[in-house]
Amino acid sequence: MVFVTVVILSALAFFIVDRVSPAPVTVSDSGPDAGFARDMQAHHAQAVEMALLIRDKSANPELRTIAYDIATTQQHQNGQMFAWLQDWGLSQARSGPPMAWMKTPAGGHVSGAPHAAPTSSTAMEGMATPEQMQALRRSSGKEAERLFTDLMIRHHQGGVAMATAAAKLSETSRVRNFAAGVVDAQTAEITSLQELRGRL
């Protein structure tokens, strides 16, 4: 119940922030705001896929609820980030490597960010590999539930690192506030998933 309340309140906060943010603003195509919007969409898309997979496989009502909340919340957030890029007049596709925007102006990396930009979206921090995704698709029962929670905990930890960087580096209040909300929501979800994993 607490988990569901956190997700609902977080989703409501994201909606309100997105509605009251001033428009339009000039955003750099290679800057942290656009970079975060593109990379987090890819990150969220995999989380949604994993959540829908386990919701179909599991009979555990708690796990099914968590999976449903992850899928619906992150699909909604992807729509928001897609709309940002449209509002800014920018392409949905990145021109450089994933997470290159996480560098600080001095050339270093924000705390929690990887020390080198990955060369593919599947190498983004926390992302499951193609082999891990295939294993999840093929698994069933308790094996699938344990694999999902392990993968999603790591996935959320990567998401928190990305959102922490965006909250520090982004130039628009819209993105900073959204990213801070992602940090809070996904940190709470990590705790819920870890507690659930201990019971599986």
Side-chain angles (χ1 to χ4, degrees):
M1 185 63 181
V2 172
F3 175 82
V4 175
T5 302
V6 169
V7 170
I8 291 172
L9 291 176
S10 298
L12 180 60
F14 291 142
F15 178 80
I16 292 171
V17 166
D18 202 47
R19 290 287 152 240
V20 301
S21 297
V25 295
T26 301
V27 171
S28 168
D29 185 69
S30 60
D33 300 77
F36 172 75
R38 291 168 178 144
D39 287 347
M40 191 55 88
Q41 281 190 72
H43 210 265
H44 274 14
Q46 189 182 70
V48 169
E49 181 181 358
M50 290 194 290
L52 293 177
L53 280 170
I54 198 62
R55 189 165 182 264
D56 289 342
K57 291 174 178 287
S58 177
N60 183 308
E62 184 180 1
L63 183 55
R64 285 172 56 83
T65 297
I66 290 174
Y68 177 79
D69 289 335
I70 289 172
T72 54
T73 298
Q74 295 201 14
Q75 281 178 321
H76 173 70
Q77 291 173 359
N78 267 1
Q80 289 178 280
M81 291 182 283
F82 184 94
W84 293 347
L85 289 163
Q86 284 189 321
D87 290 346
W88 297 331
L90 301 177
S91 169
Q92 298 293 328
R94 70 174 72 86
S95 57
M99 299 199 296
W101 58 271
M102 292 174 74
K103 290 183 179 180
T104 65
H109 287 79
V110 175
S111 177
H115 294 298
T119 56
S120 70
S121 61
T122 55
M124 281 196 290
E125 192 165 2
M127 292 281 277
T129 65
E131 293 76 18
Q132 289 170 329
M133 290 298 296
Q134 190 61 22
L136 181 60
R137 294 185 191 101
R138 291 176 175 171
S139 63
S140 61
K142 291 294 183 183
E143 178 191 359
E145 293 172 352
R146 286 190 288 264
L147 180 57
F148 168 79
T149 52
D150 288 342
L151 291 175
M152 191 59 76
I153 287 167
R154 188 158 56 248
H155 199 275
H156 271 16
Q157 288 168 340
V160 167
M162 290 171 64
T164 298
K168 293 178 180 178
L169 297 175
S170 293
E171 299 167 357
T172 66
S173 60
R174 169 186 285 186
V175 176
R176 286 194 302 271
N177 293 337
F178 178 96
V182 169
V183 171
D184 291 342
Q186 293 202 8
T187 298
E189 288 172 0
I190 288 168
T191 299
S192 297
L193 286 163
Q194 288 172 332
E195 292 174 353
L196 177 60
R197 179 64 174 88
R199 297 192 295 274
L200 292 176

